[in-house]
Amino acid sequence: MPKLVIMPPLSTRRSGLAEKLGQALPEYSIAAPTNDEEAARELADADAAYGWVPPHLLPNAKQLRWLQSPQIAPPADFYYPELVQHPVTVTNPRGTFNDHIAQHILMYVIALARGLPFYMDAQRARRWDTDARKSQYINLNQATALIVGVGGIGQEAARLCHAVGMKVVGIDARWEYDTPNVERHGPQDLEALLPTADFVILTIPHTPETEGTWGKDRFARMKSSAYFINIGRGMTTKLEELTDAVQQGVIAGCGLDVYEIEPLPSDHRLWTLPNVILTPHLAAKGGEDDISARQFDIVVNNARRFAAGEPLQNVVDKTVWY
């Protein structure tokens, strides 16, 4: 009987997960330790684990062969060197909120194209102003979306952008999805494509290779009428250089759900800049029950595959964290 350990901290959600997994997987022994001392004992004969196995506990996991990450993009310390070198296979729950986040992206695109932030400013000031919009109107039927990172979220965002009439160009290092109506490119083409886009949309993860790669040089290559949208990870983008680009008119504005610093400090100048839409890292919210059910199904499906010796779903390349 394979053994699966639900790693601490054992929140109410994880306690419920352990109970549900026990019901769904009678062929498994499910352990739910409440602290590191208990986890060390349980890991000694564990075949699989859910959660984070910290460096000081990894030596105890001598027969660990599968680790399910609860997050698509966990904190940077999740993939520490010893775990990368360990033979354990890591999987994640990617694909479980593609639709929710892609809809959030489309919200930014349509709102910024129509100048909605300017009209909202006028509304809050109780001002009837037919000339409130100060940015160039963008007709989406004549616009180009450059999506950087065409994984699950990116391919769904591409589908929606195409559905509203946009030309969609994609950048990805490993094309895993069918993407009809997307012009495909590799990372080597990014710099040349930046000046062609009306919307540059980032869905890339935070990795050692992507950290801080979006700054003033790339913003300078964009059209002055273009918008920058980031729902991937805040650490990919230098916040001050983005703010400068918007404030100085290098680009027309931005839509952000993730930030280099979270929460965004209340005195940060980005809050008050025109033609900016800021949401507090909630692009996947609103469908929690739906997403939780999907993530549970992935864990159960992978557990059954693991027990049967079949290939696992959503395997992560530990060296690049996704």
Side-chain angles (χ1 to χ4, degrees):
M1 175 179 286
K3 179 178 178 180
L4 171 65
V5 177
I6 308 296
M7 294 296 291
L10 200 64
S11 61
T12 302
R13 180 177 178 275
R14 288 201 183 181
S15 295
L17 175 64
E19 183 178 353
K20 286 178 64 179
L21 287 176
Q23 294 169 354
L25 299 167
E27 68 272 30
Y28 268 79
S29 169
I30 308 291
T34 60
N35 55 52
D36 276 7
E37 184 178 351
E38 292 178 11
R41 289 197 299 270
E42 298 291 358
L43 282 172
D45 60 348
D47 304 287
Y50 174 95
W52 184 52
V53 178
H56 67 279
L57 291 183
L58 189 62
N60 294 72
K62 298 187 185 304
Q63 64 185 56
L64 190 69
R65 291 179 289 131
W66 166 44
L67 174 63
Q68 175 74 36
S69 168
Q71 299 166 288
I72 296 174
D77 59 356
F78 187 96
Y79 295 107
Y80 52 88
E82 293 84 357
L83 184 69
V84 172
Q85 294 160 12
H86 194 281
V88 66
T89 297
V90 178
T91 59
N92 69 19
R94 64 181 180 268
T96 52
F97 41 61
N98 296 348
D99 47 356
H100 298 282
I101 295 183
Q103 290 165 26
H104 205 81
I105 291 170
L106 189 63
M107 174 193 73
Y108 290 141
V109 169
I110 294 174
L112 292 168
R114 303 292 301 188
L116 184 61
F118 291 109
Y119 295 116
M120 293 304 298
D121 290 342
Q123 175 184 319
R124 282 186 285 268
R126 305 185 183 191
R127 188 178 74 249
W128 183 276
D129 186 355
T130 58
D131 297 317
R133 176 172 52 83
K134 306 304 178 187
S135 61
Q136 177 180 324
Y137 167 68
I138 296 179
N139 183 349
L140 296 182
N141 285 319
Q142 301 168 3
T144 296
L146 176 61
I147 300 180
V148 184
V150 194
I153 295 167
Q155 60 88 22
E156 177 63 10
R159 187 186 70 81
L160 294 180
C161 286
H162 179 264
V164 296
M166 302 181 77
K167 175 183 177 181
V168 183
V169 180
I171 298 280
D172 204 277
R174 60 182 198 195
W175 289 88
E176 297 182 281
Y177 290 84
D178 290 332
T179 51
N181 305 308
V182 177
E183 182 182 304
R184 293 187 176 209
H185 292 267
Q188 71 279 359
D189 296 332
L190 175 60
E191 306 302 328
L193 290 169
L194 281 173
T196 70
D198 298 289
F199 293 88
V200 175
I201 301 168
L202 261 63
T203 70
I204 55 176
H206 172 212
T207 73
E209 287 72 33
T210 64
E211 184 171 323
T213 51
W214 286 82
K216 60 183 179 180
D217 292 343
R218 285 185 172 167
F219 299 132
R221 292 190 62 79
M222 292 170 58
K223 295 178 183 179
S224 60
S225 59
Y227 294 93
F228 177 77
I229 293 172
N230 189 6
I231 59 82
R233 281 292 182 233
M235 291 299 292
T236 63
T237 303
K238 296 176 181 176
L239 185 61
E240 296 308 316
E241 294 184 17
L242 171 60
T243 305
D244 287 342
V246 174
Q247 191 167 36
Q248 296 167 12
V250 176
I251 61 175
C254 65
L256 302 178
D257 190 55
V258 292
Y259 309 83
E260 189 177 20
I261 304 168
E262 294 188 6
L264 183 66
S266 60
D267 60 351
H268 198 280
R269 56 200 166 110
L270 193 59
W271 285 109
T272 57
L273 292 184
N275 223 17
V276 167
I277 303 176
L278 307 177
T279 55
H281 205 149
L282 49 63
K285 289 191 178 295
E288 287 86 352
D289 291 344
D290 186 24
I291 292 168
S292 293
R294 295 173 187 177
Q295 292 182 344
F296 178 76
D297 287 345
I298 284 179
V299 177
V300 170
N301 182 48
N302 265 341
R304 289 173 178 159
R305 287 170 177 252
F306 179 77
E310 298 173 353
L312 299 178
Q313 181 182 9
N314 289 0
V315 172
V316 173
D317 181 342
K318 294 184 288 182
T319 63
V320 294
W321 302 0
Y322 70 95

